[in-house]
Structure formats: C-alpha cells, structure tokens
Amino acid sequence: MLGTAIGFVMVLVFTGAIAALVLSLALPNKAILRDAIGELRCLSGYPLTGSTCAQDQIRQADAATAAANRQRAAAEAARQAAEDALVSGDLEFAQGPELKYGVSLVVGTIYQDAVTQSGLVRSFCWAIVDSGGLDPRVGVATRDATGAITVLDLSDTDLALLELDAGEVSAALASCPWPGGTT
C-alpha cells in the first residue's frame, strides 16, 4: 500500500514536470508561465518572496494583529478603570436583581461629581457571587458616558464561578441596573 502511494506521487510529479517542460517550450512568452507558477504558489500558501501575494498576506496578518491589540488594550483599559474606581471608592453602587440564589447583579458608576451624581463617566455591571464574605465579582459589561454598552468576554472559569452558562449571562445583561435605565 505504501509502495502504491509512493508510486502514485512519483507519477504525478513526473507528469507535472513533463507538462511544465512542454508548456515552457510551447509558450514563447515565459512570463505567462512564471506568473502562473507564482499564482499557484500563492494559492497553495507558499508565495514567492516579494510577490504581491506575500505582501497582501503580511498586510492582512498585520491588520488582524493590530485589531486584536486594540481590542485587548480597550479591554485592559476598562478593567484597569474598574479596578482604580474600586480602590479609590469613587463608585456609586446600584443593586440589581438576583440571577439565581447567591448570584446577583450590581452596577457601579463613576460620576464627575459623586455628591450630586452628575457627569456620568462610566458604569460597570458585575455579577456578584455571595460566598460568605468573599463576594467575588465577575465583570459582565461596561457602559460609557454616551450610553454605549460593551459586553465583556467571560472565561470558562468566570462561568464556572457563577454556575451559569453563557446564554443565561447574556439574558441577564438586560437586567443590569444602569443609571437612568438602559439605552
């Protein structure tokens, strides 16, 4: 069986080499053959160095990396802002509904003037697990001053801590007690 497979591959390579030789002799313009080989290499994922195909692949990879880095930086900035607000005690909290026994929603809001609760800066919606004084929080979403809500990605560990599935958490987002209601 292995011998048959090797023989088949050898026949294919030999046939391809003969076809390439015949084409190179039959075509007076070798650029057509060179372009065809370049396109075949591009389609197979092994572009020629310096070809436009290779440059396009590099540009696409760079764009995807840049987009992922921007998204990661935005998520990190939102997480850091929430941590900073928690540490400084500048959050005004609103208790939301209980999702299930021992898990409820809470929104913490940062205002420019905390006394009059004016000039909303950002709000954070957390699912809080009541576990006898520890009360771990899982960030669910953030809302900026314009009312735009950003849903945060939850890890499998977060979902296990809440003992909820992703669908239940998504449905719970409508219950976050945002200041002034949802937009």
Side-chain angles (χ1 to χ4, degrees), residues 30-156:
K30 305 283 192 242
I32 295 172
L33 183 61
R34 188 175 42 248
D35 291 344
I37 290 173
E39 287 297 319
L40 286 173
R41 285 190 62 171
C42 182
L43 290 174
S44 68
Y46 299 100
L48 293 169
T49 305
S51 70
T52 57
C53 173
Q55 293 168 358
D56 289 344
Q57 287 179 348
I58 291 169
R59 275 193 287 276
Q60 288 173 351
D62 288 346
T65 301
N69 287 340
R70 282 191 302 274
Q71 186 177 20
R72 191 176 306 112
E76 178 61 23
R79 185 195 63 76
Q80 187 62 47
E83 283 183 13
D84 293 346
L86 278 172
V87 169
S88 66
D90 290 339
L91 286 173
E92 297 295 325
F93 290 97
Q95 182 67 43
E98 189 171 76
L99 301 179
K100 65 175 210 159
Y101 180 75
V103 178
S104 60
L105 290 176
V106 172
V107 167
T109 302
I110 303 170
Y111 294 99
Q112 290 175 353
D113 185 354
V115 174
T116 62
Q117 292 188 352
S118 62
L120 183 132
V121 175
R122 184 175 304 265
S123 295
F124 306 92
C125 184
W126 290 286
I128 307 282
V129 179
D130 183 10
S131 60
L134 295 176
D135 302 336
R137 303 169 191 234
V138 174
V140 178
T142 63
R143 182 174 166 207
D144 64 17
T146 65
I149 296 173
T150 303
V151 176
L152 303 176
D153 291 330
L154 298 179
S155 68
D156 291 337

